[in-house]
Amino acid sequence: MNVNKLEFHVGHYGDGTGARGIIDEVQYARKFIKRIYDICIANGVPATYYEDKVSKSQTQNINNLIAHHNQDRNGFIVSGHLNSSGSVTERGIGAEVLYFDQVTVAKEVVDAICNASGLKNRGAKKRTDLGVLVRTYEPSILIEFGFVNSRTDIAFLDKHFEAICQAVAKVLAEHIGYTIKKEVVNVGKPVEAKVMLNDTKSIPAMIQDGRIYVQIREIAELLGLKLIYNNESKIAKLYEVKE
């Protein structure tokens, strides 16, 4: 089979339809897969990006993903996911890449993720029960970037987001005969994120150039503080609200 492009997709069919823990699997998978895709495109690597926004069930989602990719036979499929093992834990659990018959590139990708981040390396694992790996005409891998219930995994993923994406893009590009010639700085393309308090309350945030941005008013409300802003001095002050 002549493979001359990368075909990226985000697993599941919308926020909240995958694993949920400290973070939402779909939101995080989207963040990583879109960034890897952007790096490839900026370097002239042929690639497509797809999200299933129409399915209403897991079965329908798998069938839609398979149908989408089976429209042609010249791509290498990369499916983005995160794992879960139950309750929230402090321990690091790690990243892994699942494959049906693509063991070499699967191992290269998981090694790239873990070498770039310090995540525990769970290795490349053969799976014969996953539709996207078994029922698509094209070769494929499924990346599990980490575990949604591991504080350590999420900390590593947040801290080394850009390094992970650059490393994975490099491996995938080389797999289909292309080279990532330059590091593409993530300028002007903020990534959606969340800031959480005690794993229960959250406010929207954006990640750009390795920094997390939030509205100070929303931070004040989240923490139960009073915000006073002086437009003349351009100083924002936060005060504890005393009973």
Side-chain angles (χ1 to χ4, degrees), residues 217 227-237:
R217 186 173 300 282
L227 170 66
I228 296 179
Y229 176 69
N230 187 312
N231 189 52
E232 185 176 337
S233 65
K234 308 300 182 185
I235 295 176
K237 296 182 179 181

Side-chain angles (χ1 to χ4, degrees), residues 147-161:
F147 278 69
V148 300
N149 59 301
S150 167
R151 294 188 192 280
T152 297
D153 282 10
I154 301 307
F156 278 133
L157 290 172
D158 285 341
K159 182 177 180 180
H160 303 289
F161 169 75

Side-chain angles (χ1 to χ4, degrees), residues 83-151:
N83 234 323
S84 179
S85 61
S87 59
V88 172
T89 179
E90 297 293 335
R91 69 185 181 90
I93 308 177
E96 61 191 30
V97 175
L98 312 181
Y99 69 93
F100 175 68
D101 58 5
Q102 300 295 307
V103 60
T104 300
V105 67
K107 185 178 186 306
E108 289 173 350
V109 170
V110 72
D111 287 350
I113 293 171
C114 297
N115 290 339
S117 65
L119 280 158
K120 180 179 178 181
N121 193 329
R122 296 169 58 86
K125 298 183 178 180
K126 182 178 179 69
R127 293 287 295 270
T128 60
D129 58 335
L130 300 178
V132 168
L133 298 181
V134 178
R135 293 166 53 199
T136 49
Y137 301 134
E138 301 166 320
S140 58
I141 59 172
L142 190 154
I143 303 175
E144 300 277 12
F145 287 98
F147 278 69
V148 300
N149 59 301
S150 167
R151 294 188 192 280

Side-chain angles (χ1 to χ4, degrees), residues 4-208:
N4 55 29
K5 68 176 177 178
L6 299 171
E7 297 185 4
F8 295 97
H9 76 246
V10 178
H12 304 286
Y13 52 100
D15 294 357
T17 62
R20 282 171 286 180
I22 301 167
I23 50 90
D24 181 283
E25 175 189 0
V26 178
Q27 292 176 350
Y28 253 61
R30 181 188 301 122
K31 178 174 69 171
F32 278 89
I33 290 296
K34 286 187 74 173
R35 181 63 184 135
I36 295 166
Y37 164 79
D38 285 343
I39 294 168
C40 289
I41 291 297
N43 278 275
V45 181
T48 61
Y49 173 84
Y50 177 70
E51 287 183 46
D52 177 6
K53 299 181 179 180
V54 299
S55 291
K56 302 300 181 182
S57 68
Q58 183 177 353
T59 298
Q60 186 180 6
N61 168 243
I62 296 299
N63 290 334
N64 279 346
L65 291 174
I66 292 168
H68 168 77
H69 289 293
N70 281 349
Q71 294 178 74
D72 57 49
R73 304 193 184 191
N74 63 336
F76 183 83
I77 302 167
V78 181
S79 181
H81 293 257
L82 276 88
N83 234 323
S84 179
S85 61
S87 59
V88 172
T89 179
E90 297 293 335
R91 69 185 181 90
I93 308 177
E96 61 191 30
V97 175
L98 312 181
Y99 69 93
F100 175 68
D101 58 5
Q102 300 295 307
V103 60
T104 300
V105 67
K107 185 178 186 306
E108 289 173 350
V109 170
V110 72
D111 287 350
I113 293 171
C114 297
N115 290 339
S117 65
L119 280 158
K120 180 179 178 181
N121 193 329
R122 296 169 58 86
K125 298 183 178 180
K126 182 178 179 69
R127 293 287 295 270
T128 60
D129 58 335
L130 300 178
V132 168
L133 298 181
V134 178
R135 293 166 53 199
T136 49
Y137 301 134
E138 301 166 320
S140 58
I141 59 172
L142 190 154
I143 303 175
E144 300 277 12
F145 287 98
F147 278 69
V148 300
N149 59 301
S150 167
R151 294 188 192 280
T152 297
D153 282 10
I154 301 307
F156 278 133
L157 290 172
D158 285 341
K159 182 177 180 180
H160 303 289
F161 169 75
E162 188 64 20
I164 292 170
C165 294
Q166 295 285 347
V168 173
K170 183 176 185 294
V171 170
L172 293 174
E174 290 177 351
H175 183 65
I176 64 167
Y178 288 80
T179 301
I180 299 294
K181 299 178 180 178
K182 60 183 179 179
E183 183 172 302
V184 184
V185 179
N186 190 20
V187 176
K189 291 186 178 181
V191 177
E192 294 181 6
K194 285 185 179 181
V195 171
M196 299 193 69
L197 176 64
N198 297 329
D199 295 331
T200 55
K201 299 180 180 179
S202 68
I203 58 173
M206 303 297 290
I207 299 176
Q208 187 172 15

